[in-house]
Amino acid sequence: MSDLKLVSSNRCFDGEVRKYTHASSATGCKMTFNIFLPDTAISSKNKVPVLYYLSGLTCNEDNMITKGGAIPYLSEHQIALVTPDTSPRGAGVEGEDGDWEMGTGASFYVDATEEPWRANYKMYTYVQHELQQLVAESFSIDSSHTSIFGHSMGGHGALVLALRNPGHYRSASAFAPICHPTTSNWGRKQFAAYLGSNESEWAQYDATELVRSYNGPQLPILIDQGDADQFYSSEQLQPSHFVVASESGKHPVKLETRMQPGYDHSYWFIQTFMKDHISFHAKNLRE
Amino acid sequence: MSDLKLVSSNRCFDGEVRKYTHASSATGCKMTFNIFLPDTAISSKNKVPVLYYLSGLTCNEDNMITKGGAIPYLSEHQIALVTPDTSPRGAGVEGEDGDWEMGTGASFYVDATEEPWRANYKMYTYVQHELQQLVAESFSIDSSHTSIFGHSMGGHGALVLALRNPGHYRSASAFAPICHPTTSNWGRKQFAAYLGSNESEWAQYDATELVRSYNGPQLPILIDQGDADQFYSSEQLQPSHFVVASESGKHPVKLETRMQPGYDHSYWFIQTFMKDHISFHAKNLRE
């Protein structure tokens, strides 16, 4: 399926921000994403590198592209940005809209195996395969130069996708990611529902577990964490677990983790360090 | 009245974005504004220059500060930003919520003289006097270094406030401003309701009329207008009228107007040129 439909297009920083919908095989419903394309990818059809950004709980495809302050830097570096939604939406799954930590806006980017989720909540497959194939086919994108980043639940998603697909992404980064979801409430609650009670199935979606056994080309990773982040204080994020695990593997990733004094979990924090993240990816996408 | 109350504070670009409410004498209701303060104005109590931004129809105090991409440049230049609401809100005026072009979100920054608006819709007095006095008293602001800008209806407001108060603002700028409201539907409709049928009363809120008779120190003005802006095409904005009028006075303003090919009326347009506007004000605020 595809049925790609342009919903809107707005000129921005010598490029275009476009919203598209399409029919998704992975999720069995209509999905929406935004894409920023620099002019060179539109008029000259030059293939440009691409960055995927996965958003956090309660967000949709709009939050980061409207509030993240990314576009000036994407334009400067001539990189496309794709911002998917955070879950299927309106798929009609029972209970998907009753709890902000489950269902709509809360996919955790896994392929659900349990009822009632498993027919639609296949966001790992959607983002990693279906969407990236659709983008590669539809736009002047050099998909051999792809990187990924995200925030909170989307930071978890970005790290998991990068660690599970060695060589696919040139770099990964995250703002306040959920780093060890098999040991925090954000993670255990959703994995139990989406993946079932057999916890051995959960590790494939846990960045801290994955980084221990990572076996691939050296992966550059940048993580920023605010020390005034309430979800950091309540141990939902646990970046230190990821740091320790990243040093224990045989094929260590190239990790930089930065604590940012006074910053919280919001887009005010994200926009402050957006330039650094895009510069980081630009450097790795150029190599 | 004042009763200034901090609603929220978030760290952003080595400063803080804060939301406040306060009781307003001018509008007779609770008003809300956001302020960005660089650290130097918080910890060291150094007085910093201040920029006021007036938003457009349907907006509130949040649109620009979340979507305008201004804060990196404000932080770079160490300038505070104040974003007021666009009207009284919840004042209980009959009919204020039935039409997006009137009442709530649509004050046009005038002091209404007609019923049912005149008790509350005093946004000229609110922004020019009450709010600026409150900000000067409450924060480390150097109010002798104040500039103003805005978008659409707020661009109109910014130009009107600057032209009616010679010497008060160091510079004024606007994104797609309503330039000649006494001759466009956006303006005539609202002025008739807020100011009554005597059109001679309207000129005091019309930038094109005001710039003809401007008599004060040279005022630097920057205007950006997208040529794919539907409200430009439908002649609601009329920047050419303002350009012609600005050249006819005895004390001409220092006007730069730029047409931006392909850009529309949205915040995608505004964020693209935000850096230029803040650099423009920074230069004038330093002098």
Side-chain angles (χ1 to χ4, degrees):
Chain A
M1 285 197 269
S2 160
D3 195 23
L4 191 64
K5 284 191 185 135
L6 180 66
V7 176
S8 62
S9 177
N10 298 86
R11 189 151 184 75
C12 193
F13 282 100
D14 298 326
E16 291 180 20
V17 173
R18 298 182 186 168
K19 185 184 287 291
Y20 286 95
T21 60
H22 68 105
S24 163
S25 303
T27 66
C29 67
K30 187 172 82 171
M31 296 296 291
T32 307
F33 67 91
N34 296 310
I35 185 168
F36 169 74
L37 291 167
D39 276 352
T40 183
I42 300 170
S43 46
S44 314
K45 303 279 184 195
N46 291 335
K47 286 183 181 278
V48 296
V50 61
L51 250 175
Y52 285 81
Y53 179 92
L54 305 183
S55 217
L57 284 166
T58 77
C59 291
N60 61 24
E61 74 282 0
D62 287 335
N63 298 64
M64 181 275 202
I65 206 163
T66 53
K67 300 195 294 183
I71 305 178
Y73 313 118
L74 297 163
S75 177
E76 177 187 340
H77 293 291
Q78 296 286 291
I79 297 171
L81 170 73
V82 179
T83 60
D85 204 345
T86 53
S87 72
R89 205 166 284 271
V93 176
E94 192 186 338
E96 71 183 340
D97 292 326
D99 176 353
W100 67 277
E101 292 180 331
M102 286 296 303
T104 303
S107 73
F108 271 69
Y109 304 101
V110 303
D111 281 348
T113 53
E114 302 302 298
E115 296 294 354
W117 310 104
R118 65 184 193 157
N120 303 98
Y121 280 70
K122 301 286 193 195
M123 285 295 285
Y124 178 88
T125 292
Y126 172 70
V127 175
Q128 179 63 28
H129 301 295
E130 186 178 22
L131 178 62
Q132 293 193 37
Q133 188 178 334
L134 176 63
V135 166
E137 289 168 0
S138 309
F139 306 101
S140 285
I141 295 295
D142 172 10
S143 51
S144 73
H145 287 77
T146 298
S147 289
I148 192 164
F149 63 153
H151 169 230
S152 194
M153 174 185 78
H156 143 76
L159 294 173
V160 165
L161 265 62
L163 291 165
R164 283 184 59 169
N165 296 278
H168 183 77
Y169 298 99
R170 302 278 173 142
S171 48
S173 79
F175 304 95
I178 300 172
C179 288
H180 202 182
T182 60
T183 67
S184 53
N185 291 334
W186 274 355
R188 294 189 62 80
K189 172 179 174 175
Q190 293 81 4
F191 288 1
Y194 297 144
L195 305 173
S197 56
N198 180 357
E199 294 191 21
S200 64
E201 295 296 319
W202 299 4
Q204 62 183 310
Y205 296 110
D206 184 306
T208 295
E209 300 302 325
L210 290 166
V211 79
R212 277 192 236 281
S213 55
Y214 179 74
N215 185 356
Q218 194 181 55
L219 177 68
I221 301 177
L222 172 64
I223 293 176
D224 273 309
Q225 175 62 57
D227 76 0
D229 179 336
Q230 61 175 306
F231 303 109
Y232 173 66
S233 312
S234 61
E235 302 192 337
Q236 303 280 27
L237 307 175
Q238 306 183 111
S240 64
H241 295 204
F242 185 74
V243 172
V244 170
S246 75
E247 292 162 354
S248 70
K250 283 188 185 167
H251 299 265
V253 297
K254 188 179 171 187
L255 174 64
E256 183 181 7
T257 307
R258 310 188 303 185
M259 290 302 294
Q260 303 292 0
Y263 287 87
D264 61 25
H265 201 68
S266 69
Y267 270 88
W268 305 112
F269 155 64
I270 293 171
Q271 67 166 262
T272 302
F273 301 102
M274 184 57 75
K275 182 181 183 176
D276 291 354
H277 283 244
I278 292 178
S279 299
F280 164 78
H281 291 297
K283 179 175 171 292
N284 289 294
L285 286 165
R286 267 197 305 270
E287 282 173 358
Chain B
M1 284 196 269
S2 161
D3 196 22
L4 190 65
K5 283 189 186 135
L6 180 66
V7 176
S8 62
S9 178
N10 298 85
R11 188 149 186 78
C12 192
F13 282 100
D14 299 324
E16 291 180 20
V17 173
R18 298 182 186 169
K19 184 184 287 292
Y20 286 95
T21 60
H22 68 105
S24 163
S25 304
T27 66
C29 68
K30 185 172 83 171
M31 296 296 291
T32 307
F33 67 91
N34 296 310
I35 185 168
F36 169 74
L37 291 167
D39 276 352
T40 182
I42 299 170
S43 45
S44 314
K45 303 280 185 195
N46 290 335
K47 286 182 181 281
V48 295
V50 60
L51 250 174
Y52 284 83
Y53 179 91
L54 305 184
S55 217
L57 284 165
T58 76
C59 292
N60 61 24
E61 74 282 0
D62 287 336
N63 299 64
M64 181 276 203
I65 207 162
T66 52
K67 300 196 292 185
I71 305 178
Y73 313 117
L74 296 164
S75 177
E76 177 188 341
H77 293 291
Q78 296 287 291
I79 296 171
L81 169 72
V82 179
T83 60
D85 204 345
T86 53
S87 71
R89 205 167 283 271
V93 176
E94 192 186 337
E96 70 182 342
D97 293 325
D99 175 353
W100 67 276
E101 293 181 330
M102 287 295 304
T104 303
S107 73
F108 271 70
Y109 304 100
V110 303
D111 281 349
T113 55
E114 301 303 297
E115 295 296 353
W117 311 104
R118 66 183 193 160
N120 302 98
Y121 280 72
K122 302 286 193 195
M123 284 296 284
Y124 178 88
T125 293
Y126 172 70
V127 174
Q128 179 62 29
H129 301 295
E130 186 178 21
L131 177 62
Q132 293 193 37
Q133 188 179 333
L134 177 63
V135 166
E137 289 168 1
S138 309
F139 305 101
S140 284
I141 296 295
D142 172 10
S143 52
S144 73
H145 287 76
T146 299
S147 289
I148 191 163
F149 63 153
H151 169 231
S152 194
M153 174 185 78
H156 142 76
L159 295 173
V160 165
L161 265 61
L163 291 165
R164 282 184 59 168
N165 297 279
H168 183 76
Y169 299 99
R170 301 278 173 145
S171 48
S173 79
F175 304 95
I178 300 172
C179 287
H180 202 182
T182 60
T183 68
S184 53
N185 291 333
W186 273 355
R188 294 189 62 81
K189 172 180 175 175
Q190 293 81 4
F191 288 2
Y194 296 143
L195 305 173
S197 55
N198 180 357
E199 295 193 20
S200 64
E201 295 295 320
W202 298 4
Q204 63 184 309
Y205 296 110
D206 185 306
T208 295
E209 300 303 323
L210 290 166
V211 79
R212 278 193 235 282
S213 55
Y214 179 73
N215 186 355
Q218 194 181 55
L219 177 68
I221 301 177
L222 172 64
I223 293 177
D224 274 310
Q225 174 62 57
D227 76 0
D229 179 336
Q230 58 175 311
F231 302 109
Y232 173 66
S233 312
S234 61
E235 303 193 335
Q236 302 281 28
L237 307 176
Q238 306 183 111
S240 64
H241 295 206
F242 185 74
V243 171
V244 170
S246 75
E247 291 162 354
S248 70
K250 284 187 184 166
H251 299 265
V253 296
K254 188 179 171 188
L255 174 64
E256 183 180 7
T257 308
R258 310 188 304 185
M259 291 303 293
Q260 302 292 1
Y263 287 88
D264 61 24
H265 200 69
S266 68
Y267 270 88
W268 305 112
F269 156 65
I270 294 171
Q271 66 166 264
T272 303
F273 302 102
M274 184 57 76
K275 182 179 184 178
D276 291 353
H277 282 244
I278 293 178
S279 298
F280 164 80
H281 291 297
K283 179 176 171 293
N284 288 294
L285 286 165
R286 267 197 304 270
E287 282 174 356

